[in-house]
Amino acid sequence: MRIDLHTHSRVSDGTDSPAELVAAAALAGLDVVALTDHDTMGGVAEAQTASEQLGIKVLGGLELTCQYDSVTVHLLGYGCQADTPLQDALDELRDDRLRRMPKMVAALNAAGVEIGVSDVEAVARPGATLGRPHVADALVALGVVADRQEAFDKWLDIGRPGYVGHYKVPLAEGVATITGAGGVAVLAHAWGRESRSVLTSDVIRGLAVSGLDGLEVDHQLHDADTRVTLRALANECGLIPTGSSDYHGTGKVNHDLGCNLTSDASFEAIKALIIQRGGRI
Ligand code: AMP
Ligand code: FE
Ligand code: FE
Ligand code: ZN
């Protein structure tokens, strides 16, 4: 089977609606796709409804923004029940992201960029998880930069003038909250961007002992050597290895649906854990 377990819709910072994403996934020949919007499961129902016509399975998920030491860590959660303490964490993340937006706009204004919160709201789907990619889209719409990448490079990356952080769930709490909601917790792109230096092999071994279920091995931010090392580490620690596109529609280049895949065996292991914990499959 062709299984892609990490994608984003307009309910966070992707550019497809959940229904469009599922249609694109079917067209890309996927049998299973997980919708994993940042800090929300708000698109899952729409995606699952769309999937009924298309002969494709949608696994409900999310990508929880967590913190470990000084770095941001993304944690994928699959099969979580909504009516649990996870919802409180998601509410807190959303509220702080809303408080952050005027701060980002003010920081950009102070750096000489004319932009308002309404410019950001204009490019986001109502209720979407508001983040830096939407600020990037607003900067593109205003003609300040050509694309999202230039917006991050010049204005939004850590250390750039428009960067403002936001509340993140402590990683251990994130793992417990996802698994406590009946879900399965998988560390996303562990050795991409800033987290590589902090999430050492030993740290990942420790996380496996304290409840982490899986490790995203095949990801575009991981080169071939990194994948070999992470696969061996997953094997050693009993973590479920996964692979996925981290598709964001046109919001991220080189992340096409199905560009990395999860094995049938890993998907079966994830489903078995969700069933065992009383999650939603
Ligand atoms: P936020 O949680 O609002 O700070 O935004 C994080 C999101 O921005 C990530 O999930 C990525 O989709 C995107 N992102 C973060 N860093 C970069 C980067 N350097 N280039 C492009 N996109 C990025
Ligand atoms: Fe994203
Ligand atoms: Fe991520
Ligand atoms: Zn992602």
Coordinates of all heavy atoms in Angstrom, one line a residue, residues 33-69:
V33 N -3.9 8.3 3.7 CA -3.3 9.6 4.0 C -3.7 10.1 5.4 O -4.9 9.9 5.8 CB -3.7 10.7 2.9 CG1 -5.1 11.0 2.9 CG2 -2.8 11.9 3.0
A34 N -2.8 10.6 6.1 CA -3.1 11.2 7.4 C -3.1 12.7 7.3 O -2.2 13.2 6.7 CB -2.1 10.7 8.5
L35 N -4.1 13.3 7.8 CA -4.2 14.8 7.8 C -3.6 15.2 9.2 O -4.2 14.8 10.2 CB -5.6 15.3 7.6 CG -5.7 16.8 7.6 CD1 -5.0 17.4 6.4 CD2 -7.2 17.2 7.6
T36 N -2.5 16.0 9.2 CA -1.8 16.3 10.4 C -1.6 17.8 10.5 O -0.5 18.3 10.5 CB -0.5 15.5 10.5 OG1 0.3 15.8 9.3 CG2 -0.7 14.0 10.6
D37 N -2.7 18.6 10.5 CA -2.5 20.0 10.6 C -1.9 20.4 11.9 O -2.1 19.7 12.9 CB -3.9 20.7 10.4 CG -4.3 20.8 8.9 OD1 -3.4 21.4 8.2 OD2 -5.4 20.4 8.5
H38 N -1.2 21.5 11.9 CA -0.5 22.0 13.1 C -1.6 22.4 14.2 O -2.5 23.2 13.9 CB 0.3 23.3 12.8 CG 1.4 23.1 11.8 ND1 2.6 22.5 12.2 CD2 1.6 23.5 10.5 CE1 3.4 22.5 11.1 NE2 2.8 23.1 10.1
D39 N -1.5 21.7 15.3 CA -2.2 22.1 16.5 C -3.7 22.1 16.3 O -4.4 22.8 17.1 CB -1.8 23.5 17.0 CG -0.3 23.5 17.3 OD1 0.3 22.4 17.7 OD2 0.4 24.6 17.2
T40 N -4.3 21.3 15.4 CA -5.7 21.2 15.3 C -6.1 19.9 14.5 O -5.4 19.4 13.7 CB -6.3 22.4 14.5 OG1 -7.7 22.3 14.3 CG2 -5.7 22.5 13.1
M41 N -7.3 19.4 14.9 CA -7.9 18.3 14.1 C -9.1 18.8 13.4 O -9.9 18.0 13.0 CB -8.2 17.1 15.1 CG -6.9 16.6 15.8 SD -7.2 15.1 16.8 CE -8.1 15.8 18.2
G42 N -9.2 20.1 13.2 CA -10.4 20.7 12.7 C -10.7 20.3 11.2 O -11.8 20.5 10.8
G43 N -9.8 19.8 10.5 CA -10.0 19.4 9.1 C -10.4 18.0 8.9 O -10.7 17.5 7.8
V44 N -10.2 17.2 10.0 CA -10.3 15.7 9.8 C -11.7 15.3 9.3 O -11.8 14.4 8.4 CB -9.9 15.0 11.1 CG1 -10.2 13.5 11.0 CG2 -8.4 15.2 11.4
A45 N -12.8 15.8 9.9 CA -14.1 15.4 9.5 C -14.4 15.7 8.0 O -14.9 14.8 7.3 CB -15.2 16.1 10.3
E46 N -14.0 16.9 7.5 CA -14.1 17.2 6.1 C -13.3 16.2 5.2 O -13.8 15.7 4.2 CB -13.7 18.6 5.8 CG -13.8 19.1 4.4 CD -13.3 20.4 4.1 OE1 -13.4 21.4 4.9 OE2 -12.7 20.6 3.0
A47 N -12.1 15.9 5.7 CA -11.3 15.0 4.9 C -11.9 13.6 4.8 O -11.9 13.0 3.8 CB -9.9 15.0 5.5
Q48 N -12.4 13.2 6.0 CA -12.9 11.8 6.0 C -14.2 11.7 5.2 O -14.4 10.7 4.5 CB -13.2 11.4 7.5 CG -11.8 11.1 8.1 CD -11.8 10.6 9.5 OE1 -12.8 11.0 10.3 NE2 -10.8 9.9 10.0
T49 N -15.0 12.7 5.2 CA -16.2 12.8 4.4 C -15.8 12.7 2.9 O -16.4 11.9 2.1 CB -17.1 14.0 4.6 OG1 -17.4 14.0 6.0 CG2 -18.3 14.1 3.8
A50 N -14.8 13.5 2.5 CA -14.4 13.5 1.1 C -13.8 12.2 0.7 O -14.0 11.7 -0.5 CB -13.3 14.6 0.9
S51 N -13.2 11.5 1.6 CA -12.6 10.2 1.3 C -13.5 9.1 0.9 O -13.2 8.1 0.2 CB -11.7 9.7 2.5 OG -12.5 9.2 3.5
E52 N -14.8 9.2 1.4 CA -15.8 8.1 1.2 C -16.0 7.9 -0.3 O -16.3 6.8 -0.7 CB -17.1 8.5 2.0 CG -17.0 8.3 3.5 CD -18.1 9.0 4.2 OE1 -19.1 9.4 3.6 OE2 -17.9 9.2 5.5
Q53 N -16.0 8.9 -1.1 CA -16.2 8.8 -2.5 C -15.0 8.3 -3.3 O -15.1 7.9 -4.4 CB -16.6 10.1 -3.1 CG -17.5 11.0 -2.3 CD -18.9 10.4 -2.2 OE1 -19.4 9.8 -3.1 NE2 -19.5 10.6 -1.0
L54 N -13.8 8.3 -2.6 CA -12.6 8.2 -3.4 C -11.8 6.9 -3.2 O -10.8 6.7 -3.8 CB -11.7 9.4 -3.1 CG -12.3 10.8 -3.5 CD1 -11.5 11.9 -2.9 CD2 -12.2 10.9 -5.1
G55 N -12.3 6.0 -2.3 CA -11.6 4.8 -2.1 C -10.2 5.0 -1.5 O -9.3 4.3 -1.8
I56 N -10.1 6.0 -0.6 CA -8.8 6.2 0.1 C -9.2 6.4 1.6 O -10.2 6.8 1.9 CB -8.2 7.5 -0.5 CG1 -6.8 7.8 0.2 CG2 -9.1 8.7 -0.4 CD1 -6.0 8.9 -0.4
K57 N -8.2 5.9 2.4 CA -8.5 5.9 3.9 C -7.8 7.2 4.4 O -6.6 7.5 4.1 CB -7.9 4.7 4.5 CG -7.5 4.8 6.0 CD -8.7 4.4 6.8 CE -8.3 4.6 8.3 NZ -9.5 4.7 9.1
V58 N -8.5 8.0 5.2 CA -8.0 9.1 5.9 C -7.8 8.8 7.4 O -8.8 8.4 8.1 CB -8.9 10.4 5.8 CG1 -8.4 11.5 6.7 CG2 -8.9 10.9 4.3
L59 N -6.6 8.9 7.9 CA -6.3 8.7 9.3 C -6.3 10.1 9.9 O -5.5 11.0 9.4 CB -4.9 8.0 9.5 CG -4.5 7.8 10.9 CD1 -5.4 6.9 11.7 CD2 -3.1 7.2 11.0
G60 N -7.1 10.3 10.9 CA -7.1 11.6 11.6 C -5.9 11.8 12.4 O -5.4 10.9 13.1
G61 N -5.3 13.0 12.3 CA -4.1 13.3 13.1 C -3.9 14.8 13.3 O -4.8 15.6 13.0
L62 N -2.8 15.1 13.9 CA -2.4 16.5 14.1 C -0.9 16.5 14.3 O -0.2 15.5 14.5 CB -3.1 17.1 15.3 CG -2.5 16.9 16.7 CD1 -3.3 17.8 17.7 CD2 -2.6 15.5 17.1
E63 N -0.3 17.7 14.2 CA 1.1 17.9 14.5 C 1.2 18.9 15.6 O 0.9 20.1 15.4 CB 1.9 18.4 13.2 CG 3.4 18.4 13.4 CD 4.2 18.8 12.1 OE1 3.5 19.4 11.2 OE2 5.4 18.5 12.1
L64 N 1.5 18.4 16.8 CA 1.5 19.3 18.0 C 2.9 20.0 18.1 O 3.9 19.4 18.1 CB 1.3 18.3 19.2 CG 1.0 19.0 20.5 CD1 -0.4 19.7 20.5 CD2 1.0 17.9 21.6
T65 N 2.8 21.3 18.4 CA 4.0 22.1 18.5 C 4.5 22.0 20.0 O 3.8 22.4 20.9 CB 3.7 23.6 18.2 OG1 3.0 23.7 17.0 CG2 5.1 24.4 18.1
C66 N 5.6 21.4 20.1 CA 6.2 21.1 21.5 C 7.5 21.8 21.6 O 8.1 22.3 20.7 CB 6.4 19.6 21.6 SG 4.8 18.7 21.6
Q67 N 8.0 21.8 22.9 CA 9.3 22.4 23.2 C 10.1 21.3 24.0 O 9.6 20.7 24.8 CB 9.0 23.6 24.1 CG 10.3 24.2 24.7 CD 10.5 25.6 24.1 OE1 9.6 26.3 23.7 NE2 11.7 26.1 24.1
Y68 N 11.4 21.2 23.6 CA 12.3 20.4 24.4 C 13.6 21.2 24.5 O 14.2 21.7 23.5 CB 12.6 19.1 23.6 CG 13.5 18.2 24.5 CD1 13.0 17.3 25.4 CD2 14.9 18.2 24.4 CE1 13.8 16.5 26.2 CE2 15.7 17.4 25.1 CZ 15.2 16.6 26.1 OH 16.0 15.8 26.9
D69 N 14.0 21.5 25.8 CA 15.1 22.4 26.0 C 14.8 23.7 25.3 O 13.8 24.2 25.5 CB 16.5 21.8 25.5 CG 17.1 21.0 26.6 OD1 16.5 20.8 27.7 OD2 18.3 20.5 26.4

